[in-house]
Amino acid sequence: MDVDDLRFFIAVYESEGFSRASQKLGTVQSNVSARIRSLEGALGVPLFERRYRRVAPTASGDQLYRHARKVLDALNRASRAVKRPARVRTAGGFTLIELLVVVAIIGLLAGFVAPRYFGQIGKSEVGTAKAQIDALEKALDQFRLDTGHYPSTELGLNALVAKPASEPKWNGPYLRKDVPLDPWGKPYLYKLPGEKGDFDLLSYGKDGAPGGSGENADITNH
């Protein structure tokens, strides 16, 4: 992740679309799309939902935007405050602005990535679980489009990344990485048919038990 990635992300977020963002950035749409895919891959979460004629941020996208906006605003203020950034270098050969960029990105990672991976903020974990369930839903829908049906309960979510012997029309993998665990380190539960829809996809929350409230509440695709 670098500052240009954040600029592309902010442009898409504020423009609500890749085409408008590419015009704003003065580049082609495919370049914007590639940047966003790379950023989503680096962070391990979807940042946007692709909708008709526009994109909408996921919960993780909203969270990243708040941090990214602060980082770029701080860098812009630093650029204006430093009179000769290109010539002011440290002994190691870095400009002052480059050092500020590094510090800002470290702050961004601490504020955005750390809550997901180290469980410091409960709301972040719940938001991450919802984003992961949303991404798994989309992968399951693509599986159904290719094969004509959703994977059975027995095949489970692993059918999204490994071709089942009984699925000749499988055209995956449908996830860039292995099937994720929920933010509390437990596997997502998948059942076909579902009780409230075509399938059930859920996490039992922090306590790993059905029911509960707050961080312990069940998180589902319904």
Side-chain angles (χ1 to χ4, degrees), residues 17-180:
F18 292 99
S19 177
R20 290 187 292 273
S22 66
Q23 295 173 6
K24 182 177 181 180
L25 293 164
T27 186
V28 296
Q29 183 173 334
S30 59
N31 190 22
V32 178
S33 299
R35 283 274 189 168
I36 297 302
R37 284 196 302 270
S38 175
L39 188 56
E40 289 176 327
L43 295 173
V45 294
L47 298 173
F48 295 102
E49 294 178 354
R50 279 66 170 176
R51 297 178 180 175
Y52 180 67
R53 293 185 181 277
R54 61 185 293 267
V55 296
T58 63
S60 296
D62 283 331
Q63 186 182 2
L64 178 60
Y65 176 77
R66 291 192 293 271
H67 292 289
R69 184 75 271 173
K70 291 178 182 177
V71 168
L72 290 190
D73 288 346
L75 290 176
N76 289 335
R77 289 194 298 270
S79 296
R80 292 192 295 268
V82 178
K83 292 182 180 180
R84 294 185 300 170
R87 301 272 70 86
V88 180
R89 291 187 174 271
T90 68
F94 294 100
T95 66
L96 181 57
I97 290 300
E98 287 169 343
L99 291 177
L100 288 171
V101 168
V102 171
V103 171
I105 290 179
I106 290 173
L108 172 66
L109 292 174
F112 180 71
V113 179
R116 294 175 44 251
Y117 286 104
F118 302 108
Q120 295 175 351
I121 301 176
K123 289 184 179 179
S124 175
E125 291 170 334
V126 172
T128 297
K130 290 179 179 179
Q132 288 179 328
I133 286 175
D134 181 69
L136 289 170
E137 271 195 298
K138 289 180 171 62
L140 287 164
D141 286 339
Q142 188 59 53
F143 180 99
R144 181 181 63 83
L145 287 174
D146 288 342
T147 66
H149 55 83
Y150 291 108
S152 66
T153 301
E154 292 72 25
L155 288 175
L157 298 176
N158 192 54
L160 298 175
V161 295
K163 181 179 180 180
S166 58
E167 296 295 347
K169 295 182 179 179
W170 190 89
N171 194 33
Y174 301 97
L175 296 172
R176 293 192 183 98
K177 300 180 180 180
D178 292 338
V179 178

